[in-house]
Amino acid sequence: MVSVRRRRKQKSSLPKVTRRQNDKQRKTRIKSNAIIAANWDEKLTLSQNYKKLGLTSKLSRPTGGIQKELKPATAAVPVAPAAPTRALESDATVPSNAVTEAKIIRDAETGAIIRIEEVKRTEFDEIQTPHAPSATTDVVRQLEEYAARGERKHVRLQSEREDSWIGELVKKHGDDYEAMMKDRKLNVWQQSAGDIRRRVEKWRKRGGSA
């Protein structure tokens, strides 16, 4: 016979506690920068978001997170037997570390190799390297303006209670910070001598006097 508590539990409209599937797709919370957080798209991956914002997530080659462009399938082109290739002759005027390339010319209809053209490139030639897009987005401009302002230092102000506490310490012990540290009645929180000295110096700069 089923107990009354178990029967009520079976009839309850509340869902049973199971493994939460929502944890597998947690939203990315951007807390470090408000500009990026305001322009972040939860439906895109990290690399896609960075590309949309005009940023880069990695300086090296990306390993994922980018959709591949599908190309239409083309029929296989018959390839004629490869012609015997000869070693590329080195030129004495070209530096020893020069890169020598060969360009294969094929027939447009049969795909057979017609000739091989040598293309020599020296170390002085401009080598194309992957770089960031030249177009600057609004997010990048906002980040540049934010960085140009510099870091704002937060100056902590002493409260009235701290001012009165420091005044009592200075009035009783003067400049003897060791005695201030050992005073059990005034130094209830057991502040060190160095901490009390810094507080007193700051207090005096603000015009405090015992």
Side-chain angles (χ1 to χ4, degrees), residues 158 177 192-203:
Q158 294 176 334
Y177 300 107
S192 64
D195 183 74
I196 295 175
R197 184 180 70 255
R198 288 189 293 270
R199 292 173 186 267
V200 171
E201 291 176 354
K202 187 176 181 180
W203 174 73

Side-chain angles (χ1 to χ4, degrees), residues 147-179:
R149 291 197 296 265
E151 183 180 0
R152 297 183 180 179
K153 295 183 179 180
H154 177 71
V155 180
R156 191 185 70 85
L157 301 178
Q158 294 176 334
S159 62
E160 296 180 359
R161 184 175 181 180
E162 185 177 358
D163 289 344
S164 61
W165 171 66
I166 294 174
E168 292 178 3
L169 287 173
V170 174
K171 184 178 181 180
K172 184 176 181 180
H173 300 286
D175 293 336
D176 191 354
Y177 300 107
E178 294 293 334

Side-chain angles (χ1 to χ4, degrees), residues 69-117:
E69 297 181 0
L70 300 179
K71 297 181 180 180
T74 56
V77 179
V79 180
T85 58
R86 58 184 178 83
L88 299 177
E89 299 177 357
S90 60
D91 192 352
T93 59
V94 180
S96 59
N97 58 349
V99 180
T100 305
E101 300 177 352
K103 183 178 180 180
I104 300 176
I105 308 300
R106 295 179 179 271
D107 188 279
E109 297 180 357
T110 61
I113 298 176
I114 301 175
R115 64 181 182 276
I116 299 176
E117 296 180 357

Side-chain angles (χ1 to χ4, degrees), residues 56-75:
T56 176
S57 58
K58 292 183 179 180
L59 297 179
S60 60
R61 183 179 178 184
T63 57
I66 301 176
Q67 295 180 353
K68 296 182 179 180
E69 297 181 0
L70 300 179
K71 297 181 180 180
T74 56

Side-chain angles (χ1 to χ4, degrees), residues 10-25:
Q10 291 177 354
K11 293 181 179 180
S12 177
S13 59
L14 297 176
K16 295 182 180 179
V17 179
T18 57
R19 294 183 180 179
R20 294 178 295 183
Q21 299 295 329
N22 294 333
D23 292 346
K24 297 180 180 180
Q25 297 178 353

